[in-house]
Amino acid sequence: MIKICPKHSIQETLVFDEIGRDKSLSHRAIIFALLADTPTYIHHCLDAQDTLATLHIAHQLGAEMQRQGHTLIITPPTSKCLASDVNLQCHNSGTTMRLYMGLLSGFDGNRFYFDGDSSLQKRPMQRIRDFLEPMGAVFADGSTPLYPPFCLQGSKLSALHHISPISSAQSKSAFILAALQAQGTSFYSEPYKSRDHSERLLLAMGAQIKITQNTGYQLTIHPLRHKLRSLDFEIPNDPSSVFFFIVACLISPKSHCIFTNVLLNPTRIYALSILKQMGANITWHTTSSQIEEIGTIEVRSSTLSATTLNSQIAWCIDEIPALCIAFACANGESIIRNAGELRIKESDRLASIAHNLQALGIQVEEYDDGLKITGGEFQQNAKLQSFGDHRIAMAFSLVGIKTQVWIENTECVNISLPNFYQILEHFVELQ
């Protein structure tokens, strides 16, 4: 258990060049390296529990790893000929499991046993199964609907036209990886564009993917005719990780923060626009743009007003726990709807947020797909739970800026941001 207290004074202007490298890009750069023709160079790959799970599985699949300073060099396996019955431990990472399901579904004749920790075993994988089975993949030793552990047997895949009922970057990425190995041209459709890192990276590597945005968001994916070009790519700071400290700055008195080298992909910074709607003094601008937009975010402490969040939830799904701290500090009633996906994350995040806010004396109404939060004063000396969820632990650690709190099981922050508390000490006292 960690005790977090308000800091008596903080440095008025703080500049952060290094927060934590982007987790989504790190996962994808590692996995896509397996499809390349020559070694991939990943500069400043995130070194956290989730991405290490992805890296370990790449090594199991025959990739060679080498580190040179801050550069990770991945040499792809020479063939798809793997021993059968490979055990793949994804630990807490749903991204690792879902993307590797897509990739390995096309490894004809190989069996892969997927498993995870107790949290991941409670998170459904049925959406991935829903399109992999019609493409020809075979599942065994799994429940219906599908939860880990389970066995996936790769096969010769057929092309598929799949309409996803929700916008999900993980489902879309898994489908793309399977479609690249299928016989024929595949189509994927989602209601609106989810995170598009997979399309950007794979297009840069030479994959044939056509993007159409009329009603919804559609992809046309042609199978690979040869291996892809390798990447030489630097991972920028993760906007989802930076967001915790943006909220910290907003709710701290007389605070001014500048965050550099941050990923500014439009599908990743929607939460910044929500804060601006609330009256936050926040600006951002692009400093470079190649595969991804990268830039600087500047924030000053602000008085916040309530807002409603009910659309494009996939663009801010990871930021919602921290947003709820901002809502709790805002004037008025803030409402979140259409966010049922939060119930199948590392914890039931809607229930976790409601439980902790109520423990802090904040009025909360819980819906099936959201929350209503009435801003107010935090109760002192509250004991809060992380529920083993890294984003819940980090979000409620921000409350220590306002009042003294204790939080249980904060080790889970190592899943995505091992240096979180080192950075948070700029805003709070830790004991």
Side-chain angles (χ1 to χ4, degrees):
M1 181 181 293
I2 190 170
K3 180 181 178 182
I4 309 174
C5 307
K7 206 176 185 74
H8 294 300
S9 63
I10 65 171
Q11 185 179 339
E12 188 166 327
T13 298
L14 296 167
V15 179
F16 297 95
D17 300 314
E18 184 68 42
I19 294 290
R21 300 301 172 128
D22 191 76
K23 187 155 72 88
S24 294
L25 287 175
S26 296
H27 279 303
R28 285 160 174 78
I30 293 167
I31 294 171
F32 298 169
L34 301 176
L35 298 174
D37 56 354
T38 57
T40 289
Y41 290 75
I42 309 172
H43 308 286
H44 294 97
C45 186
L46 177 66
D47 191 11
Q49 288 179 4
D50 272 9
T51 50
L52 289 174
T54 295
L55 191 62
H56 178 71
I57 290 175
H59 182 65
Q60 284 182 274
L61 297 175
E64 295 181 6
M65 312 293 173
Q66 182 183 359
R67 291 188 183 270
Q68 293 181 357
H70 293 297
T71 299
L72 172 65
I73 305 170
I74 303 178
T75 301
T78 55
S79 71
K80 282 185 172 184
C81 298
L82 301 174
S84 195
D85 302 320
V86 182
N87 294 300
L88 306 179
Q89 175 54 251
C90 301
H91 297 286
N92 189 257
S93 178
T95 302
T96 302
M97 182 168 286
R98 294 185 178 103
L99 268 62
Y100 273 125
M101 287 171 68
L103 177 72
L104 299 178
S105 63
F107 281 52
D108 187 23
N110 294 104
R111 291 190 303 273
F112 303 95
Y113 291 90
F114 285 84
D115 203 356
D117 64 11
S118 58
S119 171
L120 189 56
Q121 288 177 356
K122 297 174 184 176
R123 293 157 67 185
M125 300 294 143
Q126 184 62 36
R127 285 181 191 145
I128 313 301
R129 183 182 191 172
D130 284 344
F131 55 74
L132 289 184
E133 278 189 328
M135 296 177 82
V138 177
F139 287 85
D141 306 324
S143 58
T144 302
L146 185 67
Y147 289 86
F150 58 84
C151 175
L152 166 65
Q153 182 169 318
S155 63
K156 293 180 180 179
L157 301 178
S158 300
L160 184 69
H161 189 154
H162 181 69
I163 300 174
S164 175
I166 64 161
S167 295
S168 166
Q170 292 182 10
S171 293
K172 177 174 62 177
S173 299
F175 183 89
I176 293 170
L177 288 168
L180 289 174
Q181 303 170 82
Q183 299 295 314
T185 302
S186 296
F187 300 89
Y188 184 89
S189 175
E190 59 185 357
Y192 61 91
K193 180 169 67 175
S194 60
R195 294 181 182 183
D196 63 348
H197 304 310
S198 293
E199 299 97 293
R200 288 173 179 247
L201 290 173
L202 288 167
L203 282 167
M205 296 174 72
Q208 289 186 282
I209 301 172
K210 180 183 177 182
I211 299 169
T212 306
Q213 297 185 71
N214 293 323
T215 301
Y217 181 79
Q218 296 86 34
L219 298 176
T220 303
I221 306 143
H222 299 278
L224 294 180
R225 296 178 180 175
H226 47 72
K227 289 193 172 185
L228 297 174
R229 294 189 297 269
S230 59
L231 288 168
D232 188 334
F233 186 60
E234 180 170 356
I235 308 293
N237 284 314
D238 191 322
S240 299
S241 296
V242 170
F243 193 77
F244 290 99
F245 304 106
I246 290 173
V247 173
C249 179
L250 289 172
I251 67 175
S252 296
K254 298 181 180 179
S255 185
H256 173 217
C257 295
I258 299 170
F259 304 92
T260 66
N261 192 34
V262 182
L263 174 66
L264 296 182
N265 180 304
T267 66
R268 297 291 302 281
I269 57 172
Y270 182 55
L272 301 185
S273 298
I274 297 167
L275 290 177
K276 282 189 75 72
Q277 292 172 16
M278 298 174 69
N281 187 341
I282 181 170
T283 59
W284 59 93
H285 66 275
T286 300
T287 55
S288 66
S289 181
Q290 294 181 12
I291 298 174
E292 294 279 3
E293 293 90 344
I294 298 167
T296 297
I297 302 172
E298 186 169 1
V299 191
R300 295 181 187 271
S301 54
S302 304
T303 299
L304 303 176
S305 300
T307 192
T308 295
L309 170 61
N310 58 16
S311 64
Q312 292 182 293
I313 298 298
W315 284 22
C316 61
I317 196 75
D318 290 336
E319 289 77 21
I320 286 177
L323 266 175
C324 286
I325 303 304
F327 293 163
C329 294
N331 298 316
E333 293 181 348
S334 295
I335 297 174
I336 306 169
R337 299 305 299 258
N338 301 316
E341 283 290 298
L342 288 169
R343 294 204 181 275
I344 54 172
K345 291 293 186 177
E346 284 83 340
S347 70
D348 179 340
R349 286 184 178 161
L350 293 176
S352 299
I353 291 166
H355 178 278
N356 280 343
L357 286 178
Q358 288 164 353
L360 288 160
I362 299 297
Q363 184 178 341
V364 183
E365 185 175 347
E366 187 175 346
Y367 309 123
D368 288 344
D369 66 343
L371 299 167
K372 180 168 72 173
I373 299 170
T374 303
E377 296 292 327
F378 292 125
Q379 175 182 314
Q380 292 186 351
N381 303 329
K383 293 185 178 179
L384 307 174
Q385 298 181 36
S386 71
F387 299 93
D389 187 328
H390 56 127
R391 298 201 190 275
I392 297 297
M394 292 188 286
F396 282 92
S397 294
L398 303 180
V399 176
I401 294 168
K402 293 290 193 180
T403 190
Q404 181 175 281
V405 293
W406 286 264
I407 301 181
E408 297 179 347
N409 187 18
T410 56
E411 295 82 5
C412 57
V413 303
N414 293 324
I415 289 169
S416 61
L417 193 57
N419 60 335
F420 173 78
Y421 285 108
Q422 291 174 284
I423 301 169
L424 189 65
E425 281 193 288
H426 289 287
F427 301 93
V428 299
E429 301 284 351
L430 300 178
Q431 298 177 18

